[in-house]
Amino acid sequence: MRPILLQGHERALTQIKYNRDGDIIFSTAKDQHICAWFAHNGERLGTYHGHQGALWTVDVDPTSTLIASGAADNTVRLWDIKSGKCLKVWDFNTAVKRVEFNEDGSRLLAVTEKRMGFLGTIVVLNIDLDPEAEQDDEKKLVIECEESKPTVAGWSYLSKYIIAGHEDGTVSQYDAKTGEQLDNTQVHDVDGLITDLQWSPDRTYFITASKDKTAKLVNARDLEVMKTYPTNTPLNSAAITPKKDFIILGGGQDAMEVTQTAARQGKFEARFYHKVFEEEIGRVRGHFGPLNTVAADPQGKGYASGGEDGYVRVHQFDKGYFDFNYEVERQARAAMQQ
Amino acid sequence: MSKVANEKKDWADDEDLDDTVDALPAQTTTTNKDGTKTIVTWRFNDEGRTVKTTRRIRFTTHKEVVNPRVAERKNWNKFGLSANDGAGPASDTTSVGENIIFRPSSNWRKDAKEEKPEVGSMKDQLKNKKVKCRICNGEHFTARCPFKDTMAPIGEDSTADPAAGPADTPGEASGGLGTGKSSYVPPHMRNGGASSAGDRMGGGKYERDDLATLRVTNVSEMAEEQELRDMFERFGRVTRVFLAKDRETGLAKGFAFISFQERTDAAKACEKMDGYGFKHLILRVEFAKKAS
């Protein structure tokens, strides 16, 4: 496969998101704009300007009309995808590290940083998907995390729970309506900060990536760890691929240590694991720095990775990827057909 | 009045006009025999000089059915930093990377592990290796050997003996050297001709490869290495597939080499695949001839 290189950012990438149809990619970096790209040819649709600090996160609503972004300037902004206009700004006390729309796009959660005496919080906002509409100013729900600050969070199936990953390697489950903490489980090591949390297509389970060099597949209902993918490098991101039962992991040693090691040892590769057999099945090289974020195309046709080097690489899988099957999978398929 | 002035230009103006027109010849597009197009464009660079750009392009129409929402989004106007970009990817933000071969495989880790210990063992080998003189087996380089003028290398006398006859025996060292080494002997002829150890090593590699390698000709130009691999893999483990491709067009040139691990598998494949119809062409399969 021949990757498409996107050079829209001058600084390290922080997050990449595909929209639901898989035709547009949104990328954020530590410079101050969001880029929108067409996934099939890498053409840039446009950039969204307005933030005054490093952008940490972006998410697109399920109908591909709005995007939300969170940045180090303590704001969450809502944008019209088509025109690039900023529709709404919500102010917070600290930087916003993660935003995510729920399944129907009616609500948005934002994770704020613990800093300057403020606790790390998860805030829920109401969203009106009409770009013309006046957005609600009120924060519908504020979950304060006293024990350990949340780093990532997301909505489970039917927007029933809010799942958050914490600095101390725990994952907690909150009731999405009341904000009450229902469960808290030590999924990763105590010093293994959870760097990413991405959902399966039906949002019944999710994958967490952690600095403790593992990624784990966790059930959203009871926070049971279903699968573990061990690696030899701190992980920054993990994605679940639709269509094929694979996991994509991205990582590499910290940016500050990059200059001390050769690229070969830097482990700047996207790693592919089999979701069920927990076995590594291949790697894709390309970045010059650690991978900060990976995203899988919801249509299963490709994936994109963003690195500390400021590049986004968009890959379209070729035939070998789709043809790959374990012997047991082949046999099962053959048995099904008979 | 003005009409007349327009039609009949002043000769000085004319020259000026000509100059600018001449400076940028029109873009020319020629269609080549192999279906590619050569596009020659001219532009001014920053220093005001004309630059000729020749691009050779193959157009392939890739049709894709997308849902109406996606199709509508493709027609959206660009905005922000891309507001002034034309249709299609802009060259300053989008480029195409080098091709990456990504074939998921369940024994990926095993393959990678095999690689690493090899490197380690090589290091170990070198660790234990000591400098050894070829003449006296002492721990110094051959060139530094105190006996280098008086004795022939150890290996040489034994192998040279049957081939060269009486010349190089240690007993008549000085005389033997005089006659034996007076003229230049090319490296591959030394040590008694073609059957030297070094030669065998080089030749052995090709030999082994050739033994189980098939030459496939009359391959369709649309063929892919993967397809060939899939076809031949059913006869046994294929170690290497080489499909000759045109460097510029990327189309197959019409022949390929398939290496098997086992010669028996290769023989079977040769027998079965010779005359096999593949992409409207009939394959011809034979054992590859030794590279001369």
Side-chain angles (χ1 to χ4, degrees):
Chain A
M1 57 192 178
R2 213 172 253 285
I4 304 172
L5 276 66
L6 310 180
Q7 300 155 264
H9 296 286
E10 279 120 45
R11 295 201 52 205
L13 268 287
T14 50
Q15 196 171 22
I16 295 177
K17 272 281 164 78
Y18 276 90
N19 67 341
R20 188 182 272 186
D21 295 316
D23 64 323
I24 302 184
I25 299 171
F26 297 95
S27 62
T28 55
K30 289 178 188 169
D31 53 9
Q32 298 172 2
H33 60 267
I34 310 160
C35 288
W37 312 84
F38 287 111
H40 70 288
N41 63 357
E43 189 176 346
R44 186 160 73 177
L45 171 63
T47 53
Y48 303 83
H49 295 266
H51 274 293
Q52 301 295 318
L55 271 150
W56 291 112
T57 174
V58 67
D59 196 23
V60 53
D61 85 284
T63 62
S64 305
T65 44
L66 303 176
I67 53 169
S69 61
D73 61 358
N74 304 352
T75 61
V76 167
R77 282 168 198 255
L78 198 69
W79 312 81
D80 180 18
I81 293 178
K82 188 177 176 181
S83 65
K85 282 199 197 82
C86 181
L87 301 174
K88 176 76 187 162
V89 182
W90 284 277
D91 280 305
F92 291 88
N93 293 321
T94 53
V96 179
K97 295 303 286 275
R98 179 63 73 125
V99 291
E100 192 173 297
F101 282 100
N102 68 346
E103 252 175 322
D104 61 359
S106 62
R107 280 182 284 170
L108 179 78
L109 70 77
V111 178
T112 64
E113 182 74 276
K114 176 185 179 182
R115 195 162 287 160
M116 300 184 295
F118 295 104
L119 285 172
T121 60
I122 302 167
V123 180
V124 176
L125 302 161
N126 271 355
I127 300 290
D128 192 330
L129 283 180
D130 182 7
E132 308 292 326
E134 191 71 24
Q135 300 292 337
D136 194 355
D137 225 359
E138 192 190 349
K139 290 160 188 164
K140 294 305 275 185
L141 183 67
V142 178
I143 303 167
E144 289 195 339
C145 304
E146 287 165 16
E147 287 162 23
S148 174
K149 74 163 189 193
T151 52
V152 289
W155 298 92
S156 79
Y157 57 95
L158 306 175
S159 308
K160 195 172 178 190
Y161 308 116
I162 290 173
I163 306 287
H166 295 269
E167 192 182 27
D168 63 354
T170 58
V171 168
S172 46
Q173 184 191 51
Y174 299 94
D175 187 307
K177 286 206 176 69
T178 62
E180 183 193 351
Q181 184 168 354
L182 303 173
D183 198 353
N184 187 27
T185 310
Q186 187 79 43
V187 168
H188 288 279
D189 290 354
V190 175
D191 54 353
L193 179 139
I194 295 179
T195 49
D196 198 10
L197 187 157
Q198 292 195 27
W199 291 94
S200 67
D202 60 0
R203 292 188 184 243
T204 53
Y205 60 94
F206 55 90
I207 187 163
T208 56
S210 164
K211 290 284 181 199
D212 72 356
K213 305 185 180 181
T214 61
K216 305 212 178 190
L217 209 64
V218 184
N219 195 337
R221 194 168 46 127
D222 50 10
L223 300 189
E224 178 204 358
V225 176
M226 299 190 289
K227 300 285 174 188
T228 302
Y229 311 97
T231 68
N232 56 2
T233 180
L235 292 176
N236 293 331
S237 191
I240 301 169
T241 59
K243 301 264 156 75
K244 298 292 284 184
D245 286 331
F246 298 151
I247 297 293
I248 312 171
L249 305 180
Q253 84 276 59
D254 282 338
M256 53 191 293
E257 290 160 23
V258 165
T259 49
Q260 298 164 21
T261 41
R264 177 104 187 89
Q265 292 173 333
K267 301 155 188 148
F268 308 137
E269 293 154 322
R271 296 135 189 269
F272 283 73
Y273 279 70
H274 196 280
K275 186 163 76 184
V276 180
F277 301 115
E278 301 172 294
E279 198 177 33
E280 186 162 356
I281 51 170
R283 290 187 183 180
V284 175
R285 292 194 294 134
H287 283 285
F288 298 112
L291 275 74
N292 285 346
T293 171
V294 291
D297 178 356
Q299 303 298 315
K301 285 188 284 195
Y303 83 98
S305 57
E308 191 73 21
D309 57 4
Y311 282 96
V312 178
R313 296 172 72 95
V314 183
H315 306 75
Q316 306 285 347
F317 295 128
D318 42 31
K319 197 163 167 289
Y321 169 88
F322 296 104
D323 287 351
F324 171 71
N325 273 311
Y326 273 78
E327 198 52 47
V328 285
E329 288 179 293
R330 277 201 202 108
Q331 282 167 3
R333 200 149 300 160
M336 288 268 283
Q337 278 164 6
Q338 275 164 15
Chain B
M1 276 295 282
S2 63
K3 262 184 192 170
V4 176
N6 270 344
E7 274 166 29
K8 200 182 174 188
K9 289 165 199 140
D10 189 24
W11 61 271
D13 286 345
D14 203 44
E15 199 173 57
D16 251 343
L17 277 172
D18 262 4
D19 215 0
T20 50
V21 170
D22 264 350
L24 280 184
Q27 172 179 322
T28 55
T29 308
T30 45
T31 310
N32 302 323
K33 270 183 204 159
D34 54 357
T36 59
K37 279 185 178 171
T38 307
I39 300 178
V40 182
T41 50
W42 302 78
R43 64 182 170 86
F44 289 114
N45 68 0
D46 297 338
E47 291 159 13
R49 296 194 183 157
T50 48
V51 179
K52 179 185 178 187
T53 316
T54 310
R55 285 178 298 172
R56 213 164 152 204
I57 296 175
R58 165 180 294 277
F59 286 96
T60 47
T61 311
H62 179 74
K63 269 193 192 154
E64 199 179 348
V65 179
V66 295
N67 71 36
R69 294 192 304 276
V70 175
E72 191 215 321
R73 285 199 281 267
K74 279 185 183 159
N75 296 321
W76 280 358
N77 291 325
K78 294 182 180 178
F79 56 89
L81 291 177
S82 289
N84 299 325
D85 293 355
S91 56
D92 59 333
T93 54
T94 308
S95 53
V96 177
E98 60 190 280
N99 201 13
I100 295 173
I101 296 160
F102 174 56
R103 279 172 56 80
S105 110
S106 53
N107 51 9
W108 183 88
R109 197 165 269 281
K110 231 180 280 161
D111 294 346
K113 262 186 194 151
E114 270 167 24
E115 218 172 77
K116 275 170 197 161
E118 257 175 43
V119 177
S121 64
M122 191 62 173
K123 258 184 194 165
D124 290 343
Q125 278 175 22
L126 286 176
K127 234 181 239 170
N128 297 332
K129 192 141 191 172
K130 282 175 188 150
V131 175
K132 192 173 152 194
C133 173
R134 268 185 288 128
I135 295 173
C136 66
N137 273 346
E139 284 186 18
H140 50 250
F141 289 110
T142 310
R144 300 258 176 85
C145 182
F147 307 111
K148 72 173 172 185
D149 296 329
T150 52
M151 283 168 69
I154 288 171
E156 207 163 271
D157 47 22
S158 56
T159 51
D161 226 17
D168 269 17
T169 48
E172 39 176 347
S174 58
L177 280 175
T179 52
K181 304 246 162 131
S182 61
S183 60
Y184 173 75
V185 185
H188 70 277
M189 297 292 283
R190 283 177 202 163
N191 264 352
S195 63
S196 75
D199 213 32
R200 224 179 292 136
M201 253 168 72
K205 197 172 131 206
Y206 291 112
E207 233 167 37
R208 190 177 29 146
D209 209 2
D210 275 354
L211 267 178
T213 298
L214 298 176
R215 190 178 72 172
V216 185
T217 49
N218 202 24
V219 181
S220 161
E221 61 173 13
M222 307 304 282
E224 294 288 339
E225 272 187 13
Q226 189 52 42
E227 296 169 334
L228 290 172
R229 183 178 279 272
D230 289 344
M231 281 198 309
F232 282 88
E233 219 152 36
R234 64 182 85 144
F235 300 102
R237 189 166 157 75
V238 173
T239 55
R240 192 184 70 120
V241 174
F242 172 77
L243 176 65
K245 283 187 173 171
D246 191 293
R247 209 154 39 129
E248 275 163 354
T249 62
L251 288 180
K253 276 183 170 172
F255 67 95
F257 290 96
I258 318 278
S259 301
F260 282 88
Q261 198 158 40
E262 301 295 332
R263 191 184 155 85
T264 49
D265 293 337
K268 203 163 65 187
C270 180
E271 189 190 325
K272 296 277 186 200
M273 293 303 288
D274 194 16
Y276 181 82
F278 173 59
K279 297 213 168 179
H280 306 297
L281 291 176
I282 291 169
L283 296 183
R284 184 175 157 77
V285 183
E286 60 206 335
F287 273 93
K289 293 190 182 73
K290 215 174 196 174
S292 55

mmCIF file with all atom_site columns, all heavy atoms in Angstrom, chain B residues 44-57:
data_model
loop_
_atom_site.group_PDB
_atom_site.id
_atom_site.type_symbol
_atom_site.label_atom_id
_atom_site.label_alt_id
_atom_site.label_comp_id
_atom_site.label_asym_id
_atom_site.label_entity_id
_atom_site.label_seq_id
_atom_site.pdbx_PDB_ins_code
_atom_site.Cartn_x
_atom_site.Cartn_y
_atom_site.Cartn_z
_atom_site.occupancy
_atom_site.B_iso_or_equiv
_atom_site.pdbx_formal_charge
_atom_site.auth_seq_id
_atom_site.auth_comp_id
_atom_site.auth_asym_id
_atom_site.auth_atom_id
_atom_site.pdbx_PDB_model_num
ATOM 1   N N   . PHE B 1 44 ? 7.363  30.165 -14.891 1.00 0.00 ? 44 PHE B N   1
ATOM 2   C CA  . PHE B 1 44 ? 8.472  31.003 -14.426 1.00 0.00 ? 44 PHE B CA  1
ATOM 3   C C   . PHE B 1 44 ? 8.822  30.604 -13.011 1.00 0.00 ? 44 PHE B C   1
ATOM 4   O O   . PHE B 1 44 ? 7.931  30.364 -12.200 1.00 0.00 ? 44 PHE B O   1
ATOM 5   C CB  . PHE B 1 44 ? 8.065  32.482 -14.439 1.00 0.00 ? 44 PHE B CB  1
ATOM 6   C CG  . PHE B 1 44 ? 7.941  33.044 -15.817 1.00 0.00 ? 44 PHE B CG  1
ATOM 7   C CD1 . PHE B 1 44 ? 6.714  33.445 -16.301 1.00 0.00 ? 44 PHE B CD1 1
ATOM 8   C CD2 . PHE B 1 44 ? 9.061  33.173 -16.622 1.00 0.00 ? 44 PHE B CD2 1
ATOM 9   C CE1 . PHE B 1 44 ? 6.602  33.967 -17.571 1.00 0.00 ? 44 PHE B CE1 1
ATOM 10  C CE2 . PHE B 1 44 ? 8.947  33.698 -17.889 1.00 0.00 ? 44 PHE B CE2 1
ATOM 11  C CZ  . PHE B 1 44 ? 7.711  34.090 -18.376 1.00 0.00 ? 44 PHE B CZ  1
ATOM 12  N N   . ASN B 1 45 ? 10.083 30.535 -12.707 1.00 0.00 ? 45 ASN B N   1
ATOM 13  C CA  . ASN B 1 45 ? 10.427 30.312 -11.307 1.00 0.00 ? 45 ASN B CA  1
ATOM 14  C C   . ASN B 1 45 ? 10.638 31.651 -10.623 1.00 0.00 ? 45 ASN B C   1
ATOM 15  O O   . ASN B 1 45 ? 10.418 32.711 -11.224 1.00 0.00 ? 45 ASN B O   1
ATOM 16  C CB  . ASN B 1 45 ? 11.634 29.387 -11.183 1.00 0.00 ? 45 ASN B CB  1
ATOM 17  C CG  . ASN B 1 45 ? 12.906 30.013 -11.695 1.00 0.00 ? 45 ASN B CG  1
ATOM 18  O OD1 . ASN B 1 45 ? 12.904 31.143 -12.149 1.00 0.00 ? 45 ASN B OD1 1
ATOM 19  N ND2 . ASN B 1 45 ? 13.994 29.271 -11.648 1.00 0.00 ? 45 ASN B ND2 1
ATOM 20  N N   . ASP B 1 46 ? 11.060 31.626 -9.372  1.00 0.00 ? 46 ASP B N   1
ATOM 21  C CA  . ASP B 1 46 ? 11.161 32.866 -8.594  1.00 0.00 ? 46 ASP B CA  1
ATOM 22  C C   . ASP B 1 46 ? 12.153 33.855 -9.199  1.00 0.00 ? 46 ASP B C   1
ATOM 23  O O   . ASP B 1 46 ? 12.015 35.064 -9.032  1.00 0.00 ? 46 ASP B O   1
ATOM 24  C CB  . ASP B 1 46 ? 11.583 32.540 -7.149  1.00 0.00 ? 46 ASP B CB  1
ATOM 25  C CG  . ASP B 1 46 ? 10.538 31.699 -6.456  1.00 0.00 ? 46 ASP B CG  1
ATOM 26  O OD1 . ASP B 1 46 ? 9.380  31.745 -6.929  1.00 0.00 ? 46 ASP B OD1 1
ATOM 27  O OD2 . ASP B 1 46 ? 10.861 31.004 -5.484  1.00 0.00 ? 46 ASP B OD2 1
ATOM 28  N N   . GLU B 1 47 ? 13.152 33.338 -9.894  1.00 0.00 ? 47 GLU B N   1
ATOM 29  C CA  . GLU B 1 47 ? 14.156 34.228 -10.457 1.00 0.00 ? 47 GLU B CA  1
ATOM 30  C C   . GLU B 1 47 ? 13.746 34.735 -11.836 1.00 0.00 ? 47 GLU B C   1
ATOM 31  O O   . GLU B 1 47 ? 14.521 35.399 -12.523 1.00 0.00 ? 47 GLU B O   1
ATOM 32  C CB  . GLU B 1 47 ? 15.501 33.498 -10.569 1.00 0.00 ? 47 GLU B CB  1
ATOM 33  C CG  . GLU B 1 47 ? 16.103 33.224 -9.215  1.00 0.00 ? 47 GLU B CG  1
ATOM 34  C CD  . GLU B 1 47 ? 17.118 32.101 -9.275  1.00 0.00 ? 47 GLU B CD  1
ATOM 35  O OE1 . GLU B 1 47 ? 17.530 31.720 -10.387 1.00 0.00 ? 47 GLU B OE1 1
ATOM 36  O OE2 . GLU B 1 47 ? 17.485 31.599 -8.200  1.00 0.00 ? 47 GLU B OE2 1
ATOM 37  N N   . GLY B 1 48 ? 12.571 34.386 -12.258 1.00 0.00 ? 48 GLY B N   1
ATOM 38  C CA  . GLY B 1 48 ? 12.090 34.873 -13.540 1.00 0.00 ? 48 GLY B CA  1
ATOM 39  C C   . GLY B 1 48 ? 12.514 34.015 -14.712 1.00 0.00 ? 48 GLY B C   1
ATOM 40  O O   . GLY B 1 48 ? 12.236 34.342 -15.857 1.00 0.00 ? 48 GLY B O   1
ATOM 41  N N   . ARG B 1 49 ? 13.164 32.903 -14.447 1.00 0.00 ? 49 ARG B N   1
ATOM 42  C CA  . ARG B 1 49 ? 13.569 32.029 -15.539 1.00 0.00 ? 49 ARG B CA  1
ATOM 43  C C   . ARG B 1 49 ? 12.462 31.043 -15.874 1.00 0.00 ? 49 ARG B C   1
ATOM 44  O O   . ARG B 1 49 ? 11.643 30.715 -15.015 1.00 0.00 ? 49 ARG B O   1
ATOM 45  C CB  . ARG B 1 49 ? 14.825 31.259 -15.149 1.00 0.00 ? 49 ARG B CB  1
ATOM 46  C CG  . ARG B 1 49 ? 15.992 32.190 -14.939 1.00 0.00 ? 49 ARG B CG  1
ATOM 47  C CD  . ARG B 1 49 ? 17.267 31.409 -14.883 1.00 0.00 ? 49 ARG B CD  1
ATOM 48  N NE  . ARG B 1 49 ? 18.381 32.301 -14.604 1.00 0.00 ? 49 ARG B NE  1
ATOM 49  C CZ  . ARG B 1 49 ? 19.513 31.899 -14.066 1.00 0.00 ? 49 ARG B CZ  1
ATOM 50  N NH1 . ARG B 1 49 ? 19.663 30.636 -13.754 1.00 0.00 ? 49 ARG B NH1 1
ATOM 51  N NH2 . ARG B 1 49 ? 20.487 32.742 -13.863 1.00 0.00 ? 49 ARG B NH2 1
ATOM 52  N N   . THR B 1 50 ? 12.473 30.579 -17.076 1.00 0.00 ? 50 THR B N   1
ATOM 53  C CA  . THR B 1 50 ? 11.450 29.599 -17.442 1.00 0.00 ? 50 THR B CA  1
ATOM 54  C C   . THR B 1 50 ? 11.900 28.214 -17.012 1.00 0.00 ? 50 THR B C   1
ATOM 55  O O   . THR B 1 50 ? 13.072 27.847 -17.122 1.00 0.00 ? 50 THR B O   1
ATOM 56  C CB  . THR B 1 50 ? 11.203 29.605 -18.957 1.00 0.00 ? 50 THR B CB  1
ATOM 57  O OG1 . THR B 1 50 ? 12.463 29.552 -19.598 1.00 0.00 ? 50 THR B OG1 1
ATOM 58  C CG2 . THR B 1 50 ? 10.436 30.823 -19.385 1.00 0.00 ? 50 THR B CG2 1
ATOM 59  N N   . VAL B 1 51 ? 10.978 27.462 -16.544 1.00 0.00 ? 51 VAL B N   1
ATOM 60  C CA  . VAL B 1 51 ? 11.256 26.105 -16.086 1.00 0.00 ? 51 VAL B CA  1
ATOM 61  C C   . VAL B 1 51 ? 10.370 25.158 -16.869 1.00 0.00 ? 51 VAL B C   1
ATOM 62  O O   . VAL B 1 51 ? 9.165  25.382 -16.998 1.00 0.00 ? 51 VAL B O   1
ATOM 63  C CB  . VAL B 1 51 ? 10.972 25.962 -14.578 1.00 0.00 ? 51 VAL B CB  1
ATOM 64  C CG1 . VAL B 1 51 ? 11.235 24.540 -14.124 1.00 0.00 ? 51 VAL B CG1 1
ATOM 65  C CG2 . VAL B 1 51 ? 11.813 26.939 -13.795 1.00 0.00 ? 51 VAL B CG2 1
ATOM 66  N N   . LYS B 1 52 ? 10.975 24.132 -17.393 1.00 0.00 ? 52 LYS B N   1
ATOM 67  C CA  . LYS B 1 52 ? 10.205 23.140 -18.138 1.00 0.00 ? 52 LYS B CA  1
ATOM 68  C C   . LYS B 1 52 ? 9.955  21.938 -17.204 1.00 0.00 ? 52 LYS B C   1
ATOM 69  O O   . LYS B 1 52 ? 10.884 21.420 -16.597 1.00 0.00 ? 52 LYS B O   1
ATOM 70  C CB  . LYS B 1 52 ? 10.993 22.693 -19.356 1.00 0.00 ? 52 LYS B CB  1
ATOM 71  C CG  . LYS B 1 52 ? 10.294 21.643 -20.194 1.00 0.00 ? 52 LYS B CG  1
ATOM 72  C CD  . LYS B 1 52 ? 11.210 21.194 -21.307 1.00 0.00 ? 52 LYS B CD  1
ATOM 73  C CE  . LYS B 1 52 ? 10.563 20.111 -22.148 1.00 0.00 ? 52 LYS B CE  1
ATOM 74  N NZ  . LYS B 1 52 ? 11.505 19.559 -23.117 1.00 0.00 ? 52 LYS B NZ  1
ATOM 75  N N   . THR B 1 53 ? 8.736  21.549 -17.106 1.00 0.00 ? 53 THR B N   1
ATOM 76  C CA  . THR B 1 53 ? 8.396  20.396 -16.273 1.00 0.00 ? 53 THR B CA  1
ATOM 77  C C   . THR B 1 53 ? 7.830  19.313 -17.166 1.00 0.00 ? 53 THR B C   1
ATOM 78  O O   . THR B 1 53 ? 6.861  19.543 -17.893 1.00 0.00 ? 53 THR B O   1
ATOM 79  C CB  . THR B 1 53 ? 7.356  20.781 -15.211 1.00 0.00 ? 53 THR B CB  1
ATOM 80  O OG1 . THR B 1 53 ? 7.731  22.022 -14.647 1.00 0.00 ? 53 THR B OG1 1
ATOM 81  C CG2 . THR B 1 53 ? 7.270  19.731 -14.129 1.00 0.00 ? 53 THR B CG2 1
ATOM 82  N N   . THR B 1 54 ? 8.460  18.174 -17.148 1.00 0.00 ? 54 THR B N   1
ATOM 83  C CA  . THR B 1 54 ? 7.950  17.044 -17.926 1.00 0.00 ? 54 THR B CA  1
ATOM 84  C C   . THR B 1 54 ? 7.422  16.003 -16.972 1.00 0.00 ? 54 THR B C   1
ATOM 85  O O   . THR B 1 54 ? 8.137  15.526 -16.103 1.00 0.00 ? 54 THR B O   1
ATOM 86  C CB  . THR B 1 54 ? 9.069  16.442 -18.784 1.00 0.00 ? 54 THR B CB  1
ATOM 87  O OG1 . THR B 1 54 ? 9.702  17.492 -19.490 1.00 0.00 ? 54 THR B OG1 1
ATOM 88  C CG2 . THR B 1 54 ? 8.515  15.432 -19.750 1.00 0.00 ? 54 THR B CG2 1
ATOM 89  N N   . ARG B 1 55 ? 6.168  15.682 -17.131 1.00 0.00 ? 55 ARG B N   1
ATOM 90  C CA  . ARG B 1 55 ? 5.571  14.665 -16.269 1.00 0.00 ? 55 ARG B CA  1
ATOM 91  C C   . ARG B 1 55 ? 5.048  13.533 -17.119 1.00 0.00 ? 55 ARG B C   1
ATOM 92  O O   . ARG B 1 55 ? 4.480  13.767 -18.198 1.00 0.00 ? 55 ARG B O   1
ATOM 93  C CB  . ARG B 1 55 ? 4.409  15.262 -15.467 1.00 0.00 ? 55 ARG B CB  1
ATOM 94  C CG  . ARG B 1 55 ? 4.865  16.139 -14.341 1.00 0.00 ? 55 ARG B CG  1
ATOM 95  C CD  . ARG B 1 55 ? 3.696  16.724 -13.625 1.00 0.00 ? 55 ARG B CD  1
ATOM 96  N NE  . ARG B 1 55 ? 2.905  17.576 -14.523 1.00 0.00 ? 55 ARG B NE  1
ATOM 97  C CZ  . ARG B 1 55 ? 1.739  18.100 -14.188 1.00 0.00 ? 55 ARG B CZ  1
ATOM 98  N NH1 . ARG B 1 55 ? 1.230  17.859 -13.020 1.00 0.00 ? 55 ARG B NH1 1
ATOM 99  N NH2 . ARG B 1 55 ? 1.089  18.878 -15.040 1.00 0.00 ? 55 ARG B NH2 1
ATOM 100 N N   . ARG B 1 56 ? 5.285  12.349 -16.679 1.00 0.00 ? 56 ARG B N   1
ATOM 101 C CA  . ARG B 1 56 ? 4.750  11.198 -17.383 1.00 0.00 ? 56 ARG B CA  1
ATOM 102 C C   . ARG B 1 56 ? 3.689  10.562 -16.497 1.00 0.00 ? 56 ARG B C   1
ATOM 103 O O   . ARG B 1 56 ? 3.974  10.161 -15.379 1.00 0.00 ? 56 ARG B O   1
ATOM 104 C CB  . ARG B 1 56 ? 5.874  10.207 -17.670 1.00 0.00 ? 56 ARG B CB  1
ATOM 105 C CG  . ARG B 1 56 ? 5.641  9.486  -18.956 1.00 0.00 ? 56 ARG B CG  1
ATOM 106 C CD  . ARG B 1 56 ? 6.886  8.820  -19.433 1.00 0.00 ? 56 ARG B CD  1
ATOM 107 N NE  . ARG B 1 56 ? 6.482  7.667  -20.232 1.00 0.00 ? 56 ARG B NE  1
ATOM 108 C CZ  . ARG B 1 56 ? 7.234  6.630  -20.418 1.00 0.00 ? 56 ARG B CZ  1
ATOM 109 N NH1 . ARG B 1 56 ? 8.417  6.573  -19.873 1.00 0.00 ? 56 ARG B NH1 1
ATOM 110 N NH2 . ARG B 1 56 ? 6.805  5.643  -21.157 1.00 0.00 ? 56 ARG B NH2 1
ATOM 111 N N   . ILE B 1 57 ? 2.521  10.501 -16.996 1.00 0.00 ? 57 ILE B N   1
ATOM 112 C CA  . ILE B 1 57 ? 1.386  10.142 -16.146 1.00 0.00 ? 57 ILE B CA  1
ATOM 113 C C   . ILE B 1 57 ? 0.594  9.022  -16.789 1.00 0.00 ? 57 ILE B C   1
ATOM 114 O O   . ILE B 1 57 ? 0.409  8.984  -18.006 1.00 0.00 ? 57 ILE B O   1
ATOM 115 C CB  . ILE B 1 57 ? 0.456  11.366 -15.946 1.00 0.00 ? 57 ILE B CB  1
ATOM 116 C CG1 . ILE B 1 57 ? 1.195  12.465 -15.202 1.00 0.00 ? 57 ILE B CG1 1
ATOM 117 C CG2 . ILE B 1 57 ? -0.799 10.981 -15.184 1.00 0.00 ? 57 ILE B CG2 1
ATOM 118 C CD1 . ILE B 1 57 ? 0.424  13.723 -15.077 1.00 0.00 ? 57 ILE B CD1 1
#
